[in-house]
Amino acid sequence: MRLRDRKVLVVGVGPGLGSAVAYFLLREGASVAISARNAERLNGIVAKLSQHGRIVAVPGNAARPDDAARVVDSARNELGGLDHLVVSAGGYAETPLQALETPLLMNMLELNFLSHLYVVKAALKYLGPGSAIVLVTSIGGAYAAWPRHVAYVSSKAATAKAVEVLAAELLDRGIRVNGVAPGGMSHDFEPGRDWRGARRLGDPVAPPEDVARVVVWLLTDEAEWVNGAVIPVDGGRRLR
Ligand SMILES: NC(=O)c1ccc[n+]([C@@H]2O[C@H](COP(=O)([O-])OP(=O)(O)OC[C@H]3O[C@@H](n4cnc5c(N)ncnc54)[C@H](OP(=O)(O)O)[C@@H]3O)[C@@H](O)[C@H]2O)c1
């Protein structure tokens, strides 16, 4: 188990990628705190995954700086420490340029970008040498240009760039910062299923497990020389 006794906070956990990340973290021996706004759904995920290891729910809105700080503090108190951080919070909207309005732009920035910065900022007082951070962005924000998606894609691009800047800023503290840029993922996850049978290289949408495994790998010592990178995880779909 590559993350035995490590304590990990995952922010932005729903039934898809976040649940898959939590599951593979537990399988690697980590203790896990999961966060999102919907407390009821979080409790359901805890109930589903608790047979695999120690997992607690810390609900909150990461797009509000005070709440993000409260979530980080609660996670640290519940777990008895904090070693690693994953931020997967996000939201999606298709918007042609003519339909752009300030509330939608702000919403995309809050969910896909600002929430990540608030959580990282709040966690820094607990992280130290050997800690790792993974931010989840999107293929659209790092490796592709999607027409009619300028608000979504730009907010994801901001997070991809923040990965590099934060990694540079935290070099001397021994904290790694990386990103993953998923292609299309389904929102369903079931522990222990055969997800490989549900996708082929180049598919537009795939189960979240493959992305989750890269997120978890980035937290392990196997990735200790990977820093400031945003890894595309789309089965090569962007190459079509
Ligand atoms: N699915 C795809 O095709 C795809 C492709 C590329 C990138 N991504 C990105 O991958 C990540 C995971 O996506 P997913 O497919 O698992 O679907 P998702 O359901 O959209 O996951 C995002 C989760 O973030 C939580 N969240 C949103 N705003 C939040 C906030 N302010 N504070 C705390 N939590 C917040 C949501 O839960 P609450 O509503 O309960 O807060 C939701 O469960 C997202 O960042 C998404 O943008 C997804």
Side-chain angles (χ1 to χ4, degrees):
M1 290 204 270
R2 297 173 297 176
L3 292 169
R4 186 189 294 277
D5 299 330
R6 304 299 273 176
K7 299 165 175 79
V8 186
L9 168 62
V10 187
V11 176
V13 173
L17 179 63
S19 289
V21 168
Y23 169 72
F24 286 113
L25 286 171
L26 294 172
R27 294 288 304 268
E28 293 290 351
S31 299
V32 181
I34 58 172
S35 187
R37 294 165 299 185
N38 187 328
E40 196 178 328
R41 196 164 60 190
L42 278 184
N43 288 334
I45 294 168
V46 166
K48 190 169 175 177
L49 297 182
S50 57
Q51 64 183 292
H52 302 287
R54 175 137 191 269
I55 179 167
V56 296
V58 283
N61 184 350
R64 301 285 169 264
D66 290 353
D67 222 25
R70 186 187 54 73
V71 162
V72 170
D73 290 345
S74 303
R76 189 257 184 192
N77 293 340
E78 290 274 349
L79 298 178
L82 187 63
D83 298 301
H84 303 308
L85 175 66
V86 176
V87 191
S88 181
Y92 171 85
E94 178 178 343
T95 329
L97 197 50
Q98 308 87 297
L100 269 190
E101 305 261 350
T102 300
L104 178 107
L105 268 170
M106 291 312 298
N107 183 249
M108 286 293 99
L109 283 171
E110 281 186 351
L111 299 190
N112 291 317
F113 176 51
L114 297 180
S115 60
H116 292 233
L117 293 187
Y118 295 148
V119 174
V120 171
K121 182 181 174 213
L124 281 181
K125 61 179 180 284
Y126 300 127
L127 304 179
S131 290
I133 298 170
V134 176
L135 306 183
V136 178
T137 171
S138 164
I139 278 288
Y143 293 95
W146 293 346
R148 299 176 306 285
H149 286 82
V150 70
Y152 171 79
V153 161
S154 301
S155 62
K156 291 295 192 188
T159 300
K161 193 63 197 178
V163 165
E164 275 190 325
V165 176
L166 293 171
E169 199 162 327
L170 296 174
L171 276 176
D172 292 336
R173 291 186 52 181
I175 301 170
R176 294 184 297 115
V177 186
N178 289 294
V180 297
M185 292 179 290
S186 58
H187 292 98
D188 59 321
F189 166 72
E190 286 300 327
R193 67 179 177 173
D194 170 25
W195 82 91
R196 291 184 176 91
R199 71 348 181 212
R200 290 189 348 191
L201 287 181
D203 278 352
V205 177
E209 280 91 334
D210 289 301
V211 178
R213 277 155 48 95
V214 176
V215 171
V216 170
W217 173 76
L218 281 167
L219 300 180
T220 69
D221 290 351
E222 289 171 17
E224 66 190 356
W225 213 239
V226 181
N227 195 11
V230 178
I231 301 178
V233 191
D234 70 340
R237 168 67 179 187
R238 72 194 181 287
L239 308 173
R240 279 208 192 282

